[in-house]
Amino acid sequence: MAGPLSHAVSRVARLHRIAAGKVLKGVGLYPGQEFVMMHLWEAGPVRQSELIKSVDLDPSTVTKMLQRLEQAGHVRRRPDPADRRAVLVEASHASCGLLTQVERAWGELERHTLAGLDEDERTELLRLLAKVEANLCTETADCPERRAARG
């Protein structure tokens, strides 16, 4: 078979997304929502347009995520006082407990993902994946850091 490594990476990525979905379901989130929440917890209130850029997802996907997160009481959206056409998004006070749950879920996912690998293997895997990521960034010119530098 041509491209056995690419096929393996694709399978691993797919299985990791499925496993992430399972652990996140336990905290009431869908995959990807944790990245939105992590950004909001870290950055505080941000314009929705900036949030879309920072999480690097399709605007309609982020809008749908925010609707679900708002319905669940995790985020609040309001007009930006500096520009009433813009919308500010912020993590709700109620979502603060969710941060610990998300960190715990990601820890569980990490333990499950790396089970059977010793510390040296984990370090080497991380190093190799960083190199693969750099290669793909160069090939696709589609890395957030590159877009930020160009924008």
Side-chain angles (χ1 to χ4, degrees), residues 82-129:
D83 179 354
R84 303 295 274 170
R85 296 168 297 170
V87 174
L88 284 180
V89 182
E90 62 186 332
S92 68
H93 292 294
S95 76
C96 292
L98 187 62
L99 172 58
T100 303
Q101 293 177 303
V102 167
E103 288 173 341
R104 199 174 304 128
W106 272 92
E108 180 184 329
L109 179 61
E110 184 101 351
R111 282 187 299 281
H112 179 73
T113 301
L114 300 176
L117 298 179
D118 65 33
E119 196 57 42
D120 289 341
E121 290 171 321
R122 291 172 185 218
T123 300
E124 182 66 0
L125 178 59
L126 190 58
R127 185 185 72 75
L128 293 172
L129 286 173

Side-chain angles (χ1 to χ4, degrees), residues 55-72:
V55 296
D56 195 31
L57 294 170
D58 181 74
S60 62
T61 300
V62 175
T63 299
K64 189 173 189 173
M65 280 183 180
L66 290 174
Q67 288 170 345
R68 285 182 172 166
L69 289 167
E70 191 172 36
Q71 287 169 354

